Amino acid sequence: MIKNSVDIITLGCSKNLVDSERLLHRFAEAGYKVRHDPEKVSSEYVVVNTCGFIGDAKEESIEMILQMVEAKKARKIRRLYVMGCLSQRYREELEAEIPEVDKFYGKFDWTDLLTDLGAGNDDAKDFGRILTTPPHYAYVKIAEGCNRFCSYCAIPLITGRFVSYPMDELLDEVRSLVAQGVKEFQIIAQDLSSYGLDLYGELKLPELIDRMAQIPGVKWIRLHYAYPSQFPYEILPVMRRHANVCNYLDIALQHISDHILTDMRRHVTKQETYELLRRIRAEVPGIHIRTTLMVGYPGETDEDFEELKQFVREARFERMGAFAYSEEEGTYAAKHFPDSIPEEVKQARLDELMALQEEVALESNRAKVGQEFEVMVDREEDDYYVGRTEYDSPEVDPEVLIAKTHSLPVGEFCRVKIVEAMPFELMAEPVE
C-alpha cells in the first residue's frame, strides 16, 4: 500500500471523467500521488466515481464498489470513498447496504473529500485538471443538470436543474488546456441546446463556440449532446464560419413515432424532427450527425418500430447508437407506462436496428474511399497508426487505420488518403 496516494476509478460518461480529472488535480496539488483507473489498486485511498444512468451502469458501479470493499478487507487499500451519480441518488440505501465504504459523496459535494481528509479545499472554482485522455484532446463540460424531464430519464432526478457554467470561466479553461498542449475539444453537457438560458436569459451556445473557436491553438471543436427541441440554429453559421468547428453534431433523437415521442415527453414531433435534420444538412453541407435511438419503450408497437426503421433508412445517420428501454424508478414512465415489452423483443429490435445502421454506415464510409482527409493521430500500434477525422469523436466513432509507410507523430495532424472502407473503420495511407 502506497502512503499518501489516491487511485480514482471512473465509471460512466465523459461528464464523470471531467469530475475525476478535477479531483485528481486537487489531490495532486495537496501533495498526494494520484493514479486513474489503475490495473491494480495499491494506493492508501480509493475513490470510485459511479454512474447511475441505467440498470447496467448501476450494476457495474455496485460491482466495482464491492471489488474495492474486498481490496479493503485484504488490506490492499486503507480507505474507500464513493462519489458520482449512483451515490447522489441512492446515498442512504448505499450507506445502509455497504457500510464498509468510509464515506459516500454525491455528484456535487465530492470537493468536500479533500477537506474531510484534512488536505484543505480552498478554491471551489479551481478548474485545474489532470487529463486522463491522451494529451492532445480533452472534454469540456459546459453545464450540469437538465430541465427536459423526458419520461424515461433519471438524470434530472440525479443531477437536478440545468446550470450553465459562466462563459468566461469556460474560455479560461480552454486557454489553460491549450497551454498544456490540448488541440481538440469535445464540448459536452446533458443538453447543449439550453446553454446560457439560465445565466443570460437566452441561448448562448453559438456565442460560446464562436468565441472558443477564436482562441489560438484550438484546432478542433466537436459538439456533443444537443437536444432537438429549442435547437439553437445560430450554431450552424458558426460551424460554417470557423474551420476548426468540426462539421459534426451529436443530437439524441430517441424515436420518430409521434405517439412514442409524446409519451416520452420529448416536446418534438416527427415532422419537426425531419425538418430539423433537413435544415442542419442544408446549412452545413457534409455535416456528420450522430444520434441515439431507443427501442422497446412501453407501448412501442410493431408499426412504431417499422416507422423507426424507415427513419434510419431515410435520415442516413453517419453515426448512430441505440439501446433498449430500461425502466428507471422515479421517472414519469415508470409511474405511468408499465414496462410492457418483453426483453427478447427489445433485444431483437435492437439487433435489427443496428444491422440496418451498419449498412448505412458502410455506405457512408465507402463514399470516402479515394478522398483525402486531415486526421488526428491518436496512437501507434504494431501494424498501423490509429487516427480520427473531424467526423469521429474519441471512443464512440470509427477510427482510421493508417499504413506505416513512414513515421507519423502521435498527437499531431496528418493528411491521409482513404483506400478501403468497413462499416466502422477506414483504412488509409499517409499523403506525402
Side-chain angles (χ1 to χ4, degrees):
M1 186 190 306
I2 305 168
K3 294 288 186 182
N4 291 322
S5 61
V6 183
D7 290 342
I8 296 180
I9 298 165
T10 305
L11 304 168
C13 67
S14 51
K15 295 183 285 293
N16 264 14
L17 193 67
V18 172
D19 292 339
S20 290
E21 291 176 346
R22 289 177 180 156
L23 186 58
L24 284 164
H25 166 76
R26 293 185 185 199
F27 268 117
E29 288 289 296
Y32 289 82
K33 297 173 184 174
V34 295
R35 296 190 304 170
H36 185 259
D37 283 351
E39 288 188 17
K40 291 184 179 180
V41 293
S42 59
S43 289
E44 186 173 11
Y45 306 110
V46 169
V47 182
V48 180
N49 189 356
T50 59
C51 178
F53 178 42
I54 57 175
D56 288 348
K58 294 180 196 174
E59 189 175 321
E60 182 186 22
S61 292
I62 293 292
E63 287 178 0
M64 180 57 69
I65 295 168
L66 294 177
Q67 280 184 42
M68 294 305 105
V69 166
E70 291 305 310
K72 184 181 175 186
K73 288 178 179 176
R75 300 184 183 277
K76 295 177 182 177
I77 64 176
R78 188 159 75 88
R79 290 192 181 177
L80 172 60
Y81 302 97
V82 173
M83 60 182 274
C85 292
L86 189 74
S87 51
Q88 175 74 25
R89 191 170 187 204
Y90 299 105
R91 189 179 313 207
E92 290 183 9
E93 296 93 324
L94 290 167
E95 287 172 344
E97 292 291 328
I98 316 178
E100 296 89 348
V101 173
D102 289 278
K103 188 167 181 179
F104 289 90
Y105 299 85
K107 189 82 179 73
F108 305 107
D109 64 346
W110 53 265
T111 54
D112 295 341
L113 176 52
L114 276 88
T115 305
D116 293 343
L117 291 177
N121 185 28
D122 296 330
D123 188 0
K125 290 187 177 180
D126 179 10
F127 277 78
R129 291 157 60 181
I130 290 178
L131 294 182
T132 59
T133 56
H136 52 275
Y137 72 78
Y139 295 94
V140 177
K141 181 164 57 170
I142 68 171
E144 302 279 6
C146 185
N147 289 351
R148 301 291 186 167
F149 292 97
C150 300
S151 65
Y152 51 84
C153 185
I155 286 174
L157 305 176
I158 298 169
T159 61
R161 306 290 287 185
F162 186 88
V163 179
S164 303
Y165 286 119
M167 194 178 304
D168 287 341
E169 286 184 11
L170 293 170
L171 296 172
D172 283 345
E173 182 178 10
V174 169
R175 291 185 189 99
S176 172
L177 290 167
V178 168
Q180 296 175 45
V182 176
K183 304 176 179 69
E184 177 185 351
F185 297 84
Q186 325 299 335
I187 309 306
I188 57 173
Q190 193 58 39
D191 170 18
L192 286 185
S193 297
S194 295
Y195 176 75
L197 202 55
D198 56 317
L199 279 183
Y200 308 108
E202 57 183 317
L203 302 178
K204 286 288 192 178
L205 182 68
E207 181 182 338
L208 173 67
I209 301 304
D210 183 57
R211 292 177 63 184
M212 197 179 290
Q214 297 177 60
I215 295 174
V218 173
K219 302 300 185 185
W220 273 356
I221 297 171
R222 199 175 283 107
L223 303 178
H224 280 278
Y225 321 125
Y227 195 91
S229 176
Q230 297 173 294
F231 182 79
Y233 281 104
E234 287 305 309
I235 193 64
L236 302 178
V238 173
M239 283 184 168
R240 288 201 312 273
R241 189 159 60 245
H242 295 288
N244 58 351
V245 180
C246 297
N247 287 346
Y248 178 103
L249 182 66
D250 188 341
I251 180 166
L253 297 173
Q254 306 299 357
H255 216 283
I256 197 62
S257 161
D258 274 327
H259 97 83
I260 295 291
L261 289 171
T262 298
D263 288 354
M264 285 181 168
R265 306 175 96 188
R266 293 287 289 172
H267 309 293
V268 70
T269 66
K270 175 179 181 175
Q271 183 178 344
E272 289 167 344
T273 301
Y274 271 101
E275 173 56 26
L276 170 69
L277 294 173
R278 186 206 63 76
R279 184 168 170 185
I280 290 172
R281 292 198 186 279
E283 292 198 30
V284 187
I287 191 171
H288 280 40
I289 297 176
R290 161 169 278 283
T291 198
T292 307
L293 300 175
M294 182 192 296
V295 299
Y297 186 83
E300 183 188 57
T301 63
D302 290 341
E303 291 76 17
D304 292 326
F305 181 60
E306 288 300 321
E307 199 173 343
L308 185 61
K309 284 163 56 182
Q310 187 60 27
F311 178 51
V312 170
R313 291 187 192 100
E314 292 175 356
R316 318 301 294 173
F317 296 110
E318 290 81 8
R319 314 280 181 255
M320 193 196 88
F323 63 102
Y325 172 75
S326 166
E327 183 175 283
E328 295 302 310
E329 61 182 309
T331 61
Y332 185 89
K335 295 174 184 175
H336 296 87
F337 301 113
D339 190 357
S340 58
I341 298 181
E343 291 302 317
E344 61 269 21
V345 174
K346 292 181 188 176
Q347 189 60 50
R349 288 178 178 175
L350 181 60
D351 292 344
E352 191 174 347
L353 198 67
M354 290 310 298
L356 181 58
Q357 175 59 23
E358 187 169 332
E359 297 174 13
V360 174
L362 179 57
E363 187 176 317
S364 172
N365 275 352
R366 279 177 174 162
K368 295 180 172 67
V369 174
Q371 296 186 44
E372 293 185 7
F373 292 93
E374 203 75 24
V375 167
M376 167 59 78
V377 181
D378 275 338
R379 64 187 185 275
E380 180 180 359
E381 299 198 351
D382 290 341
D383 299 326
Y384 42 72
Y385 293 98
V386 180
R388 290 173 293 106
T389 71
E390 69 171 296
Y391 309 117
D392 307 309
S393 199
E395 307 293 336
V396 296
D397 288 330
E399 294 179 318
V400 182
L401 309 184
I402 309 165
K404 283 189 167 180
T405 56
H406 58 268
S407 179
L408 297 176
V410 172
E412 300 291 343
F413 292 95
C414 74
R415 193 137 189 97
V416 303
K417 183 176 181 179
I418 307 301
V419 296
E420 187 181 345
M422 290 155 283
F424 306 114
E425 283 179 337
L426 292 168
M427 306 294 290
E429 295 175 351
V431 175
E432 297 289 347

